[in-house]
Amino acid sequence: MGFKAKARKHRSDSDEESESTKKSSSKEGEISCGIKDCAKFADKNMGGRSLSIDNAIDTWGSSGYEARKGRVRVCKSCYRKWKKDNKSDDMY
């Protein structure tokens, strides 16, 4: 019996325990997205990023965001939106 077969065998025994832990360990965010129209979370483990205030002004205007410590925390979808808007700009 190979290592994969042994792993499958032991996984079926402890399958009941792992399902209960999977349900309780759903991702819960702590840091909300800094964009006012967005209700998602900007935690690093959920794909969140931090943008400078100048970059946020370019995409969402001067009143469309909330800054913390000179940076704007954004969720993954808002970061992708900013990235698409600035893709054609020559930043280098």
Side-chain angles (χ1 to χ4, degrees):
M1 185 182 318
F3 74 94
K4 288 185 180 181
K6 286 182 182 179
R8 287 188 196 106
K9 181 180 176 183
H10 293 291
R11 182 177 46 177
S12 63
D13 293 341
S14 63
D15 194 26
E16 297 170 3
E17 298 169 6
S18 64
E19 286 183 21
S20 63
T21 57
K22 286 180 185 177
K23 291 179 183 177
S24 65
S25 66
S26 64
K27 290 185 179 178
E28 191 78 19
E30 295 178 3
I31 302 170
S32 61
C33 184
I35 307 305
K36 291 185 178 179
D37 296 335
C38 185
K40 296 181 182 177
F41 292 102
D43 293 324
K44 186 69 173 176
N45 62 352
M46 300 176 94
R49 299 279 196 244
S50 177
L51 297 174
S52 68
I53 294 175
D54 295 335
N55 291 338
I57 289 173
D58 292 342
T59 304
W60 292 283
S62 61
S63 63
Y65 64 90
E66 180 181 328
R68 291 184 209 155
K69 297 182 182 179
R71 306 285 290 177
V72 179
R73 297 295 307 248
V74 295
C75 63
K76 186 174 184 178
S77 61
C78 291
Y79 179 77
R80 290 182 73 192
K81 181 180 178 185
W82 172 81
K83 191 78 170 171
K84 284 183 180 181
D85 287 348
N86 293 316
K87 189 175 184 179
S88 63
D89 294 346
D90 293 328
M91 296 180 72
Y92 301 107

